Structure formats: structure tokens, C-alpha cells
Amino acid sequence: MSLRDVDLSVAVEDDEAYEKELETLQERAFELQIQTFLAKRRAVLVFEGWDASGKGGAIRRLTSLMDPRGYKVWPIGAPSEEEKRHHYLWRFWSRTPGSGEVCVFDRSWYGRVLVERVEGFARPAEWRRAYTEINAFERTLTDDGVRMAKFFIHIDKKTQLQRFRAREKDPTRRYKLGPDDWRNRSKWKQYEGAIQDMLDHTHRPDAPWHVVSGNDKRHARLEVLRRCVKLLEE
């Protein structure tokens, strides 16, 4: 699996077809979430991606019809002082799904091998052993019956800049853009290498990565919904 193999030119051109498929997939996702709840099954959906790649929009379309009693969305930011006192995976254990739940992670434990690696918040020995720790963590969940899928939404540097500029001009979305976003952008090549290492070390049959082309947001939203529906149908 390689970032270079992703076709970023793919796009959804037909507005009517997009809306029709989106509605169909959302209704099916709702049905499957209810079935998951009634059957007391569990699922984890992990979302990673470049800044401004469209993770939030994809998650909103995925959960728009779902019953809030049966799913949770966990937005993951920097750890608190209390969380820093523990192993970095500690804060994620309490957020794993209970009986009948679907848990969506808007960023995740992969911060250890991405931002913490690139920005130097984790020492080389720490982020290198994290691949083994993360695989063991996920394997513990999947061996216990949790279904899992992981999404990385991929965009190119030009598209990211266009979205950053659009956020700057929009007072309702300006809060989404901060110094950290520009700092991360300046280290694009370093992040690209870290992302590829992450895919190489943690793509497994029980918890696969799906690298989604995100230059066209509508394509990314439909692709995420298709993959999630397939996972919940299994």
C-alpha cells in the first residue's frame, strides 16, 4: 500500500447521482448501526489524514442518520496532563466500544507515529516500538470480536493550500486553521515518510487501512461510506 498509488484525480461529477448514492448509503449505515446495537456487536472506525483533508465532513455524512445512543465520535487532540502521566494508549482504552457500540476516532493513537514522531514529542525509540504496541492493542480488540477499519484521507499539497486559504476567508471556519496547521504543512515530506511507514507497519487483515483519495470531497465521503457499510455487513 503506497500513497503514490492513490489516484487523486478521481472525482464525482454528477450532482444528482452523488446525492442519490449518499442518501442510500446513509440509510444503509443507519440500518446496520441498529443491527449492530441489537446484536451487541462492536466496531471501531479510525480516521487519519492530512490537515483539511475532509475527515470531519466524511464522519458527519457517515453518522448523520445514526442513533446517537449507539455510536460515539471521539475527537482526539493533545493529551491532558493527567493522560501524560500514563502510557500513551491508556487514554484510548476507555474510549473503546461497549456492547452494541460503533466508535469513530477523529484522529487516534496513530499520533504517536505521526505528529509525535515528526515534531519530536516522542523519542525515536518510543515511536519505533509504537508500531508493535499499536498492532498488539488493535489485535486485542479484534480478537475480542471488535470489527475495525482505518481510513487515511489523502490529498495533495496544492489542494491543502486551497482549503487553508478558503478557511482563512470564511469566518465560520476560520477557527479550524491555526499555527499548527501551517507548521505541519512546512514538514510535508517528513509527514509523507511517517505516513508511509505507518501504512507499511500497521496494515493488517483484521484492521486494514483504506487510503482514500480526498481531492474531491464527494468521492471521499462516498468511498468512506461504502467501506463502512461493507465492514458492518460482515
PDB file of all heavy atoms in Angstrom, residues 96-122:
ATOM      1  N   THR A  96     -12.784   2.682  23.887  1.00  0.00           N
ATOM      2  CA  THR A  96     -13.128   1.562  23.014  1.00  0.00           C
ATOM      3  C   THR A  96     -14.608   1.231  23.175  1.00  0.00           C
ATOM      4  O   THR A  96     -15.209   1.529  24.201  1.00  0.00           O
ATOM      5  CB  THR A  96     -12.262   0.324  23.323  1.00  0.00           C
ATOM      6  OG1 THR A  96     -12.408  -0.016  24.703  1.00  0.00           O
ATOM      7  CG2 THR A  96     -10.800   0.610  23.018  1.00  0.00           C
ATOM      8  N   PRO A  97     -15.236   0.630  22.170  1.00  0.00           N
ATOM      9  CA  PRO A  97     -16.697   0.467  22.198  1.00  0.00           C
ATOM     10  C   PRO A  97     -17.191  -0.537  23.226  1.00  0.00           C
ATOM     11  O   PRO A  97     -16.575  -1.576  23.461  1.00  0.00           O
ATOM     12  CB  PRO A  97     -17.016  -0.003  20.776  1.00  0.00           C
ATOM     13  CG  PRO A  97     -15.763  -0.643  20.293  1.00  0.00           C
ATOM     14  CD  PRO A  97     -14.645   0.140  20.911  1.00  0.00           C
ATOM     15  N   GLY A  98     -18.332  -0.180  23.822  1.00  0.00           N
ATOM     16  CA  GLY A  98     -19.033  -1.116  24.679  1.00  0.00           C
ATOM     17  C   GLY A  98     -19.973  -1.970  23.838  1.00  0.00           C
ATOM     18  O   GLY A  98     -20.011  -1.863  22.608  1.00  0.00           O
ATOM     19  N   SER A  99     -20.743  -2.789  24.473  1.00  0.00           N
ATOM     20  CA  SER A  99     -21.661  -3.690  23.788  1.00  0.00           C
ATOM     21  C   SER A  99     -22.619  -2.905  22.894  1.00  0.00           C
ATOM     22  O   SER A  99     -23.294  -1.984  23.344  1.00  0.00           O
ATOM     23  CB  SER A  99     -22.451  -4.498  24.818  1.00  0.00           C
ATOM     24  OG  SER A  99     -23.408  -5.321  24.198  1.00  0.00           O
ATOM     25  N   GLY A 100     -22.653  -3.256  21.606  1.00  0.00           N
ATOM     26  CA  GLY A 100     -23.575  -2.632  20.670  1.00  0.00           C
ATOM     27  C   GLY A 100     -23.128  -1.292  20.122  1.00  0.00           C
ATOM     28  O   GLY A 100     -23.897  -0.648  19.401  1.00  0.00           O
ATOM     29  N   GLU A 101     -21.910  -0.854  20.403  1.00  0.00           N
ATOM     30  CA  GLU A 101     -21.465   0.480  20.016  1.00  0.00           C
ATOM     31  C   GLU A 101     -20.570   0.487  18.777  1.00  0.00           C
ATOM     32  O   GLU A 101     -19.798  -0.440  18.549  1.00  0.00           O
ATOM     33  CB  GLU A 101     -20.704   1.150  21.165  1.00  0.00           C
ATOM     34  CG  GLU A 101     -21.590   1.661  22.285  1.00  0.00           C
ATOM     35  CD  GLU A 101     -20.792   2.443  23.305  1.00  0.00           C
ATOM     36  OE1 GLU A 101     -19.557   2.299  23.367  1.00  0.00           O
ATOM     37  OE2 GLU A 101     -21.416   3.203  24.063  1.00  0.00           O
ATOM     38  N   VAL A 102     -20.678   1.570  18.042  1.00  0.00           N
ATOM     39  CA  VAL A 102     -19.737   1.907  16.976  1.00  0.00           C
ATOM     40  C   VAL A 102     -18.973   3.136  17.446  1.00  0.00           C
ATOM     41  O   VAL A 102     -19.575   4.156  17.777  1.00  0.00           O
ATOM     42  CB  VAL A 102     -20.463   2.226  15.659  1.00  0.00           C
ATOM     43  CG1 VAL A 102     -19.462   2.683  14.589  1.00  0.00           C
ATOM     44  CG2 VAL A 102     -21.252   1.021  15.164  1.00  0.00           C
ATOM     45  N   CYS A 103     -17.661   3.037  17.506  1.00  0.00           N
ATOM     46  CA  CYS A 103     -16.839   4.164  17.943  1.00  0.00           C
ATOM     47  C   CYS A 103     -16.024   4.699  16.768  1.00  0.00           C
ATOM     48  O   CYS A 103     -15.352   3.932  16.070  1.00  0.00           O
ATOM     49  CB  CYS A 103     -15.901   3.759  19.079  1.00  0.00           C
ATOM     50  SG  CYS A 103     -16.742   3.635  20.666  1.00  0.00           S
ATOM     51  N   VAL A 104     -16.109   6.005  16.569  1.00  0.00           N
ATOM     52  CA  VAL A 104     -15.406   6.678  15.487  1.00  0.00           C
ATOM     53  C   VAL A 104     -14.328   7.567  16.104  1.00  0.00           C
ATOM     54  O   VAL A 104     -14.621   8.401  16.962  1.00  0.00           O
ATOM     55  CB  VAL A 104     -16.382   7.540  14.654  1.00  0.00           C
ATOM     56  CG1 VAL A 104     -15.635   8.244  13.522  1.00  0.00           C
ATOM     57  CG2 VAL A 104     -17.523   6.690  14.105  1.00  0.00           C
ATOM     58  N   PHE A 105     -13.104   7.386  15.657  1.00  0.00           N
ATOM     59  CA  PHE A 105     -11.982   8.175  16.165  1.00  0.00           C
ATOM     60  C   PHE A 105     -11.549   9.186  15.106  1.00  0.00           C
ATOM     61  O   PHE A 105     -11.072   8.811  14.043  1.00  0.00           O
ATOM     62  CB  PHE A 105     -10.810   7.279  16.550  1.00  0.00           C
ATOM     63  CG  PHE A 105     -11.045   6.491  17.805  1.00  0.00           C
ATOM     64  CD1 PHE A 105     -11.698   5.266  17.755  1.00  0.00           C
ATOM     65  CD2 PHE A 105     -10.629   6.982  19.037  1.00  0.00           C
ATOM     66  CE1 PHE A 105     -11.930   4.543  18.915  1.00  0.00           C
ATOM     67  CE2 PHE A 105     -10.855   6.268  20.195  1.00  0.00           C
ATOM     68  CZ  PHE A 105     -11.505   5.041  20.145  1.00  0.00           C
ATOM     69  N   ASP A 106     -11.741  10.465  15.424  1.00  0.00           N
ATOM     70  CA  ASP A 106     -11.294  11.551  14.559  1.00  0.00           C
ATOM     71  C   ASP A 106      -9.876  11.902  14.986  1.00  0.00           C
ATOM     72  O   ASP A 106      -9.656  12.711  15.863  1.00  0.00           O
ATOM     73  CB  ASP A 106     -12.232  12.750  14.712  1.00  0.00           C
ATOM     74  CG  ASP A 106     -11.899  13.876  13.743  1.00  0.00           C
ATOM     75  OD1 ASP A 106     -10.872  13.778  13.047  1.00  0.00           O
ATOM     76  OD2 ASP A 106     -12.669  14.850  13.697  1.00  0.00           O
ATOM     77  N   ARG A 107      -8.926  11.263  14.378  1.00  0.00           N
ATOM     78  CA  ARG A 107      -7.530  11.105  14.789  1.00  0.00           C
ATOM     79  C   ARG A 107      -7.488  10.086  15.933  1.00  0.00           C
ATOM     80  O   ARG A 107      -8.520   9.747  16.508  1.00  0.00           O
ATOM     81  CB  ARG A 107      -6.859  12.429  15.149  1.00  0.00           C
ATOM     82  CG  ARG A 107      -6.776  13.375  13.943  1.00  0.00           C
ATOM     83  CD  ARG A 107      -5.686  14.405  14.116  1.00  0.00           C
ATOM     84  NE  ARG A 107      -5.636  15.359  13.013  1.00  0.00           N
ATOM     85  CZ  ARG A 107      -4.993  15.156  11.875  1.00  0.00           C
ATOM     86  NH1 ARG A 107      -4.341  14.013  11.677  1.00  0.00           N
ATOM     87  NH2 ARG A 107      -4.984  16.070  10.924  1.00  0.00           N
ATOM     88  N   SER A 108      -6.299   9.590  16.225  1.00  0.00           N
ATOM     89  CA  SER A 108      -6.263   8.388  17.059  1.00  0.00           C
ATOM     90  C   SER A 108      -4.895   8.179  17.690  1.00  0.00           C
ATOM     91  O   SER A 108      -4.070   9.092  17.759  1.00  0.00           O
ATOM     92  CB  SER A 108      -6.598   7.173  16.174  1.00  0.00           C
ATOM     93  OG  SER A 108      -5.550   6.975  15.222  1.00  0.00           O
ATOM     94  N   TRP A 109      -4.679   6.944  18.124  1.00  0.00           N
ATOM     95  CA  TRP A 109      -3.397   6.525  18.700  1.00  0.00           C
ATOM     96  C   TRP A 109      -2.263   6.609  17.683  1.00  0.00           C
ATOM     97  O   TRP A 109      -1.097   6.539  18.068  1.00  0.00           O
ATOM     98  CB  TRP A 109      -3.511   5.101  19.249  1.00  0.00           C
ATOM     99  CG  TRP A 109      -4.261   4.153  18.368  1.00  0.00           C
ATOM    100  CD1 TRP A 109      -3.761   3.348  17.394  1.00  0.00           C
ATOM    101  CD2 TRP A 109      -5.675   3.908  18.380  1.00  0.00           C
ATOM    102  NE1 TRP A 109      -4.744   2.619  16.787  1.00  0.00           N
ATOM    103  CE2 TRP A 109      -5.936   2.935  17.381  1.00  0.00           C
ATOM    104  CE3 TRP A 109      -6.750   4.394  19.138  1.00  0.00           C
ATOM    105  CZ2 TRP A 109      -7.233   2.460  17.117  1.00  0.00           C
ATOM    106  CZ3 TRP A 109      -8.021   3.932  18.880  1.00  0.00           C
ATOM    107  CH2 TRP A 109      -8.253   2.978  17.884  1.00  0.00           C
ATOM    108  N   TYR A 110      -2.577   6.784  16.422  1.00  0.00           N
ATOM    109  CA  TYR A 110      -1.524   6.905  15.414  1.00  0.00           C
ATOM    110  C   TYR A 110      -0.785   8.244  15.487  1.00  0.00           C
ATOM    111  O   TYR A 110       0.204   8.440  14.786  1.00  0.00           O
ATOM    112  CB  TYR A 110      -2.093   6.670  14.010  1.00  0.00           C
ATOM    113  CG  TYR A 110      -2.314   5.200  13.767  1.00  0.00           C
ATOM    114  CD1 TYR A 110      -3.571   4.633  13.923  1.00  0.00           C
ATOM    115  CD2 TYR A 110      -1.250   4.372  13.427  1.00  0.00           C
ATOM    116  CE1 TYR A 110      -3.772   3.275  13.736  1.00  0.00           C
ATOM    117  CE2 TYR A 110      -1.444   3.011  13.238  1.00  0.00           C
ATOM    118  CZ  TYR A 110      -2.708   2.466  13.394  1.00  0.00           C
ATOM    119  OH  TYR A 110      -2.889   1.116  13.223  1.00  0.00           O
ATOM    120  N   GLY A 111      -1.252   9.125  16.359  1.00  0.00           N
ATOM    121  CA  GLY A 111      -0.495  10.348  16.596  1.00  0.00           C
ATOM    122  C   GLY A 111       0.918  10.073  17.080  1.00  0.00           C
ATOM    123  O   GLY A 111       1.848  10.851  16.815  1.00  0.00           O
ATOM    124  N   ARG A 112       1.113   8.946  17.754  1.00  0.00           N
ATOM    125  CA  ARG A 112       2.445   8.595  18.255  1.00  0.00           C
ATOM    126  C   ARG A 112       3.458   8.439  17.113  1.00  0.00           C
ATOM    127  O   ARG A 112       4.619   8.822  17.255  1.00  0.00           O
ATOM    128  CB  ARG A 112       2.346   7.310  19.075  1.00  0.00           C
ATOM    129  CG  ARG A 112       3.670   6.679  19.547  1.00  0.00           C
ATOM    130  CD  ARG A 112       4.578   7.594  20.359  1.00  0.00           C
ATOM    131  NE  ARG A 112       3.993   8.187  21.521  1.00  0.00           N
ATOM    132  CZ  ARG A 112       4.405   8.019  22.772  1.00  0.00           C
ATOM    133  NH1 ARG A 112       5.432   7.219  23.016  1.00  0.00           N
ATOM    134  NH2 ARG A 112       3.830   8.660  23.756  1.00  0.00           N
ATOM    135  N   VAL A 113       3.012   7.868  15.989  1.00  0.00           N
ATOM    136  CA  VAL A 113       3.944   7.623  14.883  1.00  0.00           C
ATOM    137  C   VAL A 113       3.813   8.666  13.769  1.00  0.00           C
ATOM    138  O   VAL A 113       4.466   8.546  12.728  1.00  0.00           O
ATOM    139  CB  VAL A 113       3.752   6.198  14.302  1.00  0.00           C
ATOM    140  CG1 VAL A 113       4.086   5.158  15.353  1.00  0.00           C
ATOM    141  CG2 VAL A 113       2.336   5.997  13.763  1.00  0.00           C
ATOM    142  N   LEU A 114       2.970   9.672  13.992  1.00  0.00           N
ATOM    143  CA  LEU A 114       2.834  10.752  13.026  1.00  0.00           C
ATOM    144  C   LEU A 114       3.323  12.059  13.645  1.00  0.00           C
ATOM    145  O   LEU A 114       4.499  12.359  13.612  1.00  0.00           O
ATOM    146  CB  LEU A 114       1.379  10.844  12.534  1.00  0.00           C
ATOM    147  CG  LEU A 114       0.874   9.633  11.738  1.00  0.00           C
ATOM    148  CD1 LEU A 114      -0.597   9.792  11.382  1.00  0.00           C
ATOM    149  CD2 LEU A 114       1.699   9.436  10.469  1.00  0.00           C
ATOM    150  N   VAL A 115       2.410  12.817  14.252  1.00  0.00           N
ATOM    151  CA  VAL A 115       2.802  14.140  14.766  1.00  0.00           C
ATOM    152  C   VAL A 115       3.851  14.049  15.872  1.00  0.00           C
ATOM    153  O   VAL A 115       4.793  14.855  15.915  1.00  0.00           O
ATOM    154  CB  VAL A 115       1.555  14.930  15.237  1.00  0.00           C
ATOM    155  CG1 VAL A 115       0.890  14.256  16.434  1.00  0.00           C
ATOM    156  CG2 VAL A 115       1.923  16.367  15.562  1.00  0.00           C
ATOM    157  N   GLU A 116       3.725  13.077  16.761  1.00  0.00           N
ATOM    158  CA  GLU A 116       4.704  12.977  17.850  1.00  0.00           C
ATOM    159  C   GLU A 116       6.080  12.593  17.314  1.00  0.00           C
ATOM    160  O   GLU A 116       7.105  13.041  17.844  1.00  0.00           O
ATOM    161  CB  GLU A 116       4.226  11.974  18.901  1.00  0.00           C
ATOM    162  CG  GLU A 116       2.995  12.454  19.672  1.00  0.00           C
ATOM    163  CD  GLU A 116       2.593  11.491  20.772  1.00  0.00           C
ATOM    164  OE1 GLU A 116       3.495  10.882  21.387  1.00  0.00           O
ATOM    165  OE2 GLU A 116       1.384  11.344  21.007  1.00  0.00           O
ATOM    166  N   ARG A 117       6.094  11.788  16.280  1.00  0.00           N
ATOM    167  CA  ARG A 117       7.366  11.424  15.648  1.00  0.00           C
ATOM    168  C   ARG A 117       7.988  12.636  14.950  1.00  0.00           C
ATOM    169  O   ARG A 117       9.148  12.984  15.195  1.00  0.00           O
ATOM    170  CB  ARG A 117       7.143  10.297  14.649  1.00  0.00           C
ATOM    171  CG  ARG A 117       8.324  10.083  13.705  1.00  0.00           C
ATOM    172  CD  ARG A 117       8.026   9.030  12.655  1.00  0.00           C
ATOM    173  NE  ARG A 117       9.057   9.007  11.614  1.00  0.00           N
ATOM    174  CZ  ARG A 117       9.138   8.093  10.647  1.00  0.00           C
ATOM    175  NH1 ARG A 117       8.254   7.118  10.587  1.00  0.00           N
ATOM    176  NH2 ARG A 117      10.096   8.162   9.740  1.00  0.00           N
ATOM    177  N   VAL A 118       7.216  13.274  14.080  1.00  0.00           N
ATOM    178  CA  VAL A 118       7.763  14.346  13.250  1.00  0.00           C
ATOM    179  C   VAL A 118       8.131  15.574  14.084  1.00  0.00           C
ATOM    180  O   VAL A 118       9.167  16.209  13.851  1.00  0.00           O
ATOM    181  CB  VAL A 118       6.765  14.726  12.143  1.00  0.00           C
ATOM    182  CG1 VAL A 118       7.269  15.934  11.353  1.00  0.00           C
ATOM    183  CG2 VAL A 118       6.532  13.545  11.201  1.00  0.00           C
ATOM    184  N   GLU A 119       7.312  15.894  15.079  1.00  0.00           N
ATOM    185  CA  GLU A 119       7.553  17.093  15.870  1.00  0.00           C
ATOM    186  C   GLU A 119       8.498  16.852  17.046  1.00  0.00           C
ATOM    187  O   GLU A 119       8.822  17.775  17.784  1.00  0.00           O
ATOM    188  CB  GLU A 119       6.223  17.653  16.384  1.00  0.00           C
ATOM    189  CG  GLU A 119       5.233  18.008  15.291  1.00  0.00           C
ATOM    190  CD  GLU A 119       5.779  19.020  14.291  1.00  0.00           C
ATOM    191  OE1 GLU A 119       6.622  19.855  14.698  1.00  0.00           O
ATOM    192  OE2 GLU A 119       5.378  18.970  13.120  1.00  0.00           O
ATOM    193  N   GLY A 120       8.929  15.613  17.229  1.00  0.00           N
ATOM    194  CA  GLY A 120       9.897  15.320  18.281  1.00  0.00           C
ATOM    195  C   GLY A 120       9.306  15.175  19.664  1.00  0.00           C
ATOM    196  O   GLY A 120      10.033  15.203  20.663  1.00  0.00           O
ATOM    197  N   PHE A 121       7.981  15.005  19.760  1.00  0.00           N
ATOM    198  CA  PHE A 121       7.354  14.813  21.069  1.00  0.00           C
ATOM    199  C   PHE A 121       7.605  13.409  21.615  1.00  0.00           C
ATOM    200  O   PHE A 121       7.473  13.172  22.813  1.00  0.00           O
ATOM    201  CB  PHE A 121       5.838  15.060  20.978  1.00  0.00           C
ATOM    202  CG  PHE A 121       5.476  16.453  20.526  1.00  0.00           C
ATOM    203  CD1 PHE A 121       4.432  16.651  19.637  1.00  0.00           C
ATOM    204  CD2 PHE A 121       6.182  17.548  20.982  1.00  0.00           C
ATOM    205  CE1 PHE A 121       4.097  17.930  19.212  1.00  0.00           C
ATOM    206  CE2 PHE A 121       5.856  18.834  20.566  1.00  0.00           C
ATOM    207  CZ  PHE A 121       4.809  19.022  19.673  1.00  0.00           C
ATOM    208  N   ALA A 122       7.919  12.485  20.725  1.00  0.00           N
ATOM    209  CA  ALA A 122       8.287  11.119  21.122  1.00  0.00           C
ATOM    210  C   ALA A 122       9.708  10.849  20.650  1.00  0.00           C
ATOM    211  O   ALA A 122      10.079  11.216  19.527  1.00  0.00           O
ATOM    212  CB  ALA A 122       7.327  10.098  20.507  1.00  0.00           C
TER     213      ALA A 122
END
